[in-house]
Amino acid sequence: MDSAFRAEVRAWLEANLTGEFAGARGLGGPGREHEGFALRRAWERRLGEAGWTCLGWPKAYGGRDATLEQQVVFHEEYARANAPHRVGDIGEGLIGPTIIDFGTEEQRRRFLPPIRYGDELWCQGYSEPEAGSDLANVQTRAEPRGGEWVITGQKVWTSLAHLADWCFVLCRTEAGSKRHHGLSYLLVPMRQPGVEVRPIVQLTGTGEFNEVFFDGARTDAACVLGAPGDGWRVALATLGYERGASTLGRQIGFRREFEQVVAAARRTGAAADPVLRDRLVQSWIELEIMRLNALRTLSSLAAGEPGPEASITKLYWSEWHRRLGELAMAALGDEALIAEAGPYELSDLQRLYLFSRADTIYAGSSEIQRNIIAERTLGLPRA
Ligand SMILES: Cc1cc2nc3c(=O)[nH]c(=O)nc-3n(C[C@H](O)[C@H](O)[C@H](O)COP(=O)(O)OP(=O)(O)OC[C@H]3O[C@@H](n4cnc5c(N)ncnc54)[C@H](O)[C@@H]3O)c2cc1C
């Protein structure tokens, strides 16, 4: 059954990554989000029309009700075909499932279809200058006025906000409330006078994330997900969806990067260095362990709640990937120091090294994951 599904996905990708999309393979990804954006958006529509977006969503909302195994197969085949990096990840993976679980029927009908076709892109407005790991410290506020919410405050590190049409914004709607009380989860249109997006240039020289300023921004009173004041519960549910079936697809991407590092070590002669050889072997072993861990996480997801396995997996892959970036620089040797072309055109491995520094920060930093493992698995006292 899954082999038939795998063959179907593979055949569709081969038949469609042709013509105008032939050059789209490999486009996009961390530090390369600007690449072929219009083409990738057209690709998103092609995928959506053929029913290859939002596979895990219920059929009633345009999904396929795909099993977890099928979703994993799709992600694996997608990565194997080196298909372009998706522009609608945040919509499909984060806000879509949240709307399905917490939205009203009207909200589902309004917001889900444009996510399927990449017609509306989303960004995640959680972090603030004083609320990162400590998310309950959110200070952005919103008040009801004349049938609308009026929003004032600042978000930061907002991935792809400069390309997004909508933002899901965690904000304080009860004046004087503290911590996780009195928060609401609002759906806010990005293209309006009260919203200003300022890109932040990253180590890669590109800007994947932004500062977002809300100064009297507005959204309809009906654009609250869950009950007003119940935003914390909804926000945590969204975080839970971040660890879904794309986990195994990531392994395929990692394997490709690992092979690039080995090829670089061969080419530069660094592969003759016994210490570097040891590091490469160790990295390969850890990649295998990671694959087995990911399978375990997925079976716990299939069983219901994400357990501490999700934290172990996040900690493990992000630390491994950061080390792979360092290994890539060792494999390149002196070449690592020189940009491919002026003024700052990076090679894939240089970009891997620089962007992988962020892996241990977003989606919960390594320190936070270790706290979760310490408290929930080892039963240590709270930090
Ligand atoms: C590439 C990238 C994309 C991102 N995209 C988004 C996005 O789209 N939307 C969004 O809302 N946010 C986004 N973020 C923000 C991300 O969620 C935060 O950076 C992260 O939660 C950490 O928060 P902070 O940066 O405020 O660091 P802080 O929370 O200030 O932490 C600083 C350091 O202290 C450590 N620390 C903090 N608290 C503890 C503790 N209790 N115990 C031990 N150590 C601790 C942290 O691990 C870290 O090393 C993104 C971040 C990155 C790097």
Side-chain angles (χ1 to χ4, degrees), residues 166-342:
W166 286 83
C167 184
F168 45 101
V169 182
L170 188 61
C171 49
R172 208 159 278 290
T173 46
E174 285 170 26
S177 61
K178 293 247 175 334
R179 308 299 299 161
H180 53 281
H181 302 287
L183 297 171
S184 297
Y185 193 110
L186 300 186
L187 310 178
V188 182
M190 290 294 283
R191 302 182 202 286
Q192 57 165 313
V195 177
E196 189 191 342
V197 177
R198 293 188 202 157
I200 300 172
V201 178
Q202 287 158 262
L203 280 173
T204 45
T206 54
E208 184 261 359
F209 55 33
N210 305 268
E211 292 179 292
V212 179
F213 295 87
F214 297 98
D215 184 8
R218 284 158 193 278
T219 195
D220 194 272
C223 284
V224 56
L225 212 50
D230 199 23
W232 184 248
R233 200 165 62 93
V234 186
L236 289 192
T238 306
L239 290 180
Y241 307 128
E242 248 180 328
R243 307 145 179 169
S246 59
T247 310
L248 271 187
R250 185 184 292 122
Q251 314 298 314
I252 308 268
F254 283 174
R255 189 164 296 275
R256 182 177 301 117
E257 287 176 341
F258 177 80
E259 281 160 9
Q260 273 182 289
V261 174
V262 172
R266 284 215 175 99
R267 184 174 54 74
T268 61
D273 172 5
V275 175
L276 191 94
R277 291 164 75 96
D278 273 4
R279 286 172 69 192
L280 284 171
V281 170
Q282 183 65 24
S283 183
W284 182 82
I285 291 170
E286 289 170 2
L287 185 57
E288 279 300 301
I289 292 172
M290 204 175 351
R291 194 172 64 81
L292 298 172
N293 256 335
L295 286 167
R296 193 163 57 172
T297 304
L298 285 174
S299 31
S300 93
L301 277 175
E305 287 288 289
E309 292 89 355
S311 286
I312 297 170
T313 304
K314 165 70 191 10
L315 183 63
Y316 202 88
W317 77 250
S318 58
E319 295 281 340
W320 178 87
H321 201 223
R322 215 169 65 159
R323 285 196 300 278
L324 183 72
E326 289 160 9
L327 197 47
M329 296 302 94
L332 285 179
D334 294 345
E335 264 181 45
L337 301 172
I338 304 162
E340 279 212 321

Side-chain angles (χ1 to χ4, degrees), residues 55-217:
L55 302 194
W57 292 11
K59 282 194 178 133
Y61 300 116
R64 283 185 181 234
D65 261 328
T67 63
L68 200 56
E69 285 75 16
Q70 288 174 329
Q71 294 174 58
V72 168
V73 164
F74 178 80
H75 285 291
E76 284 181 346
E77 288 302 321
Y78 195 87
R80 190 167 283 132
N82 203 16
H85 199 89
R86 298 278 307 279
V87 296
D89 276 348
I90 298 177
E92 172 172 337
L94 297 186
I95 189 64
T98 316
I99 291 173
I100 290 169
D101 285 354
F102 292 88
T104 60
E105 201 48 37
E106 208 179 334
Q107 287 170 332
R108 294 176 184 145
R109 301 270 163 228
R110 160 64 187 85
F111 289 111
L112 296 177
I115 292 177
R116 282 172 48 211
Y117 301 111
D119 289 341
E120 286 180 349
L121 304 181
W122 285 80
C123 62
Q124 178 179 24
Y126 278 22
S127 304
E128 298 183 3
E130 299 301 327
S133 304
D134 187 15
L135 185 59
N137 199 33
V138 158
Q139 299 301 325
T140 294
R141 57 182 204 281
E143 52 182 272
R145 207 184 294 160
E148 292 181 312
W149 292 100
V150 180
I151 305 125
T152 306
Q154 186 202 337
K155 296 292 173 179
V156 71
W157 320 127
T158 320
S159 294
L160 309 176
H162 55 300
L163 301 170
D165 304 288
W166 286 83
C167 184
F168 45 101
V169 182
L170 188 61
C171 49
R172 208 159 278 290
T173 46
E174 285 170 26
S177 61
K178 293 247 175 334
R179 308 299 299 161
H180 53 281
H181 302 287
L183 297 171
S184 297
Y185 193 110
L186 300 186
L187 310 178
V188 182
M190 290 294 283
R191 302 182 202 286
Q192 57 165 313
V195 177
E196 189 191 342
V197 177
R198 293 188 202 157
I200 300 172
V201 178
Q202 287 158 262
L203 280 173
T204 45
T206 54
E208 184 261 359
F209 55 33
N210 305 268
E211 292 179 292
V212 179
F213 295 87
F214 297 98
D215 184 8

